[in-house]
């Protein structure tokens, strides 16, 4: 049985997009479900996901990443 633990919605704007979005990446949503409830472990996994994403996309030519956060 497959179980979805994390969801990440991304918006990509390549070099053909108009400024200021050129070569930009937007992380619009990042969340997990209750199967992964250990707070400290979840935070560490989030950090690994974001760091891996940023490294991968930097190698693919993206120069900026914006992460949307829900206001307090």
């Amino acid at each position: 049985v497959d179980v979805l633990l994390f969801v990440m919605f991304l918006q990509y704007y390549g070099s053909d997009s108009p400024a200021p979005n050129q070569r930009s990446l937007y992380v619009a949503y990042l969340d997990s479900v209750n199967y992964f409830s250990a707070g400290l472990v979840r935070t560490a996994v989030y950090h690994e996901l974001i760091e891996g994403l940023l490294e991968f996309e930097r190698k693919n030519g993206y120069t900026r990443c914006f992460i949307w956060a829900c206001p307090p």
Side-chain angles (χ1 to χ4, degrees), residues 34-49:
N34 291 334
Y35 293 114
F36 203 65
S37 59
L40 292 176
V41 176
R42 181 174 45 203
T43 300
V45 172
Y46 273 6
H47 288 178
E48 286 295 320
L49 285 170

Side-chain angles (χ1 to χ4, degrees), residues 8-65:
M8 187 180 331
F9 293 141
L10 306 170
Q11 296 172 310
Y12 289 89
Y13 296 91
S15 56
D16 58 339
S17 297
N21 289 328
Q22 221 168 32
R23 295 186 318 261
S24 294
L25 169 67
Y26 291 83
V27 178
Y29 186 76
L30 174 64
D31 201 1
S32 66
V33 294
N34 291 334
Y35 293 114
F36 203 65
S37 59
L40 292 176
V41 176
R42 181 174 45 203
T43 300
V45 172
Y46 273 6
H47 288 178
E48 286 295 320
L49 285 170
I50 294 294
E51 288 174 18
L53 172 74
L54 292 175
E55 181 179 338
F56 179 77
E57 297 305 348
R58 181 182 54 81
K59 291 177 181 177
N60 286 323
Y62 287 90
T63 58
R64 289 179 294 223
C65 179

